[in-house]
Amino acid sequence: MQHENLVGDFPTFPKQLRSKQKREALIESAKLLFNEKGFEHTTAKEIAAHAKVATGTFYRYFSDKRQLLMTLIDNQIDSMMPLDLEWKSGDPEKLLAGRLEMHYHKINEKNLRKLMPELLLKDAELAEVVNEAKMHMQGKVLDHLQTLQKKGLMWPDIDIETLTWCLQSMMEKLQNRKNEGVSVDYKEFAKVFCRTLFPPDIIEQMRSGKIKDMERTVNR
């Protein structure tokens, strides 16, 4: 979903295939150069040259390099958020560890996350959009955990709002370690995460298949 306040209005949007290809080449070139040189040290002229188009073509599709950067971020902002929680049947620790590995592999492929700390300090609009996305994600997690607790699948005496922001803090700390290039043991992280959520008997029921489908159980 595009955040209009973040990206703004484009000068023009291509309709012909060749024009669309030029615009896409600019986006891919910007992603590469922003990661190699940083946003501040990359110029629109360099992006255009790398994409093998004229500088005028850059300004035909983007007002400036910030709009191009915000286009990149807007396309990926959901994937940059902490992992959404969902629970299927099977061993929850193994499932979560696998999802974490896949999630951060995709983020590393996109490789824009390392630019975010600097950008968030300098760009108030971006910081606001990211904060809104985090709040939306936190609301979804809160609703989900409240339902799980009502179904008797979680610790009954845990305050869910407190648990939610604790879990989100754990996920953000994990992301920070990944940004810093620190190795993370996903299996150990998933073990701590799941055991914070679920009593031992529930975990064993999930592993044994007695709880067939967590999502169906939650949504009944």
Side-chain angles (χ1 to χ4, degrees), residues 78-89:
D78 290 338
S79 68
M80 291 180 180
M81 291 298 103
L83 190 66
D84 196 3
L85 292 179
E86 60 178 25
W87 303 101
K88 304 294 184 181
S89 59

Side-chain angles (χ1 to χ4, degrees), residues 47-71:
I47 296 170
H50 189 276
K52 299 181 181 179
V53 301
T55 304
T57 302
F58 178 98
Y59 289 107
R60 184 182 305 159
Y61 301 128
F62 302 99
S63 300
D64 50 32
K65 67 176 185 176
R66 179 190 180 278
Q67 187 178 51
L68 201 165
L69 175 65
M70 294 304 135
T71 300

Side-chain angles (χ1 to χ4, degrees), residues 87 148 153-155 194-200 202-203 214:
W87 303 101
L148 285 173
L153 300 174
M154 291 177 52
W155 297 100
C194 290
R195 295 183 189 186
T196 302
L197 279 176
F198 304 116
I202 296 297
I203 291 178
M214 291 289 285

Side-chain angles (χ1 to χ4, degrees), residues 23-58:
R23 185 179 186 274
E24 187 61 30
L26 287 166
I27 291 173
E28 291 301 314
S29 293
K31 180 163 57 175
L32 178 66
L33 293 174
F34 287 154
N35 281 305
E36 285 184 351
K37 302 179 63 177
F39 175 71
E40 296 294 339
H41 298 290
T42 302
T43 66
K45 184 176 180 180
E46 289 172 331
I47 296 170
H50 189 276
K52 299 181 181 179
V53 301
T55 304
T57 302
F58 178 98

Side-chain angles (χ1 to χ4, degrees), residues 94-148:
K94 289 182 179 179
L95 291 171
L96 179 58
R99 289 182 63 222
L100 286 168
E101 186 170 3
M102 183 179 299
H103 178 72
Y104 287 105
H105 177 70
K106 288 180 179 179
I107 286 179
N108 288 338
E109 283 184 335
K110 293 173 180 177
N111 206 28
L112 278 179
R113 171 164 285 281
K114 67 182 182 181
L115 293 174
M116 293 298 286
E118 176 187 356
L119 294 170
L120 290 172
L121 289 174
K122 297 180 178 180
D123 197 306
E125 288 184 35
L126 175 60
E128 182 179 354
V129 169
V130 169
N131 187 58
E132 287 177 357
K134 286 183 178 180
M135 293 299 292
H136 176 69
M137 181 69 73
Q138 186 171 337
K140 287 177 62 179
V141 171
L142 177 62
D143 290 343
H144 186 70
L145 295 183
Q146 286 175 333
T147 304
L148 285 173

